[in-house]
């Protein structure tokens, strides 16, 4: 199980925290796996970290399938 540090916009962070957006579309440069933890650093328009939170990866849809480019991944988080 790996831990990942990712920046995220304030709007997307708020969508995660409200439960409206339980997924992320990301470049698959980190070999995301089920069970990995993601430490999200929400940044404001000036680039300052305004909040931090952690989520666990529950599902990984790798690119090259379902019309998703090979270099991308969709991850479901909880």
């Amino acid at each position: 199980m790996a831990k990942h540090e990712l920046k995220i916009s304030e709007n997307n962070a708020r969508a995660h925290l409200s439960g409206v957006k339980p997924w992320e579309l990301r470049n698959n440069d980190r070999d995301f796996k089920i069970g990995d933890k993601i430490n999200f650093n929400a940044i404001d328009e000036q680039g300052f970290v305004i909040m931090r939170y952690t989520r666990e990866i529950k599902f990984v849809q790798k690119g090259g399938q379902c019309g998703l480019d090979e270099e991308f991944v969709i991850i479901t988080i909880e």
Side-chain angles (χ1 to χ4, degrees):
M1 174 172 59
K3 287 188 178 181
H4 308 278
E5 291 281 335
L6 298 176
K7 290 181 183 176
I8 190 168
S9 71
E10 181 179 0
N11 287 341
N12 281 314
R14 294 199 185 286
H16 281 172
L17 295 170
S18 71
V20 173
K21 185 180 178 242
W23 56 272
E24 271 295 299
L25 172 64
R26 291 285 176 153
N27 190 310
N28 193 16
D29 59 352
R30 298 171 184 263
D31 194 27
F32 294 106
K33 293 188 167 95
I34 294 171
D36 286 359
K37 304 279 187 193
I38 300 176
N39 296 321
F40 286 102
N41 296 299
I43 57 171
D44 65 13
E45 292 178 3
Q46 290 78 34
F48 294 105
V49 175
I50 56 171
M51 70 177 112
R52 293 183 166 95
Y53 59 98
T54 302
R55 293 292 183 266
E56 182 176 334
I57 297 176
K58 296 297 185 179
F59 180 78
V60 177
Q61 176 63 61
K62 293 192 177 186
Q65 306 173 42
C66 304
L68 187 61
D69 286 343
E70 287 187 25
E71 68 267 14
F72 290 99
V73 64
I74 297 172
I75 51 178
T76 303
I77 56 174
E78 185 176 279

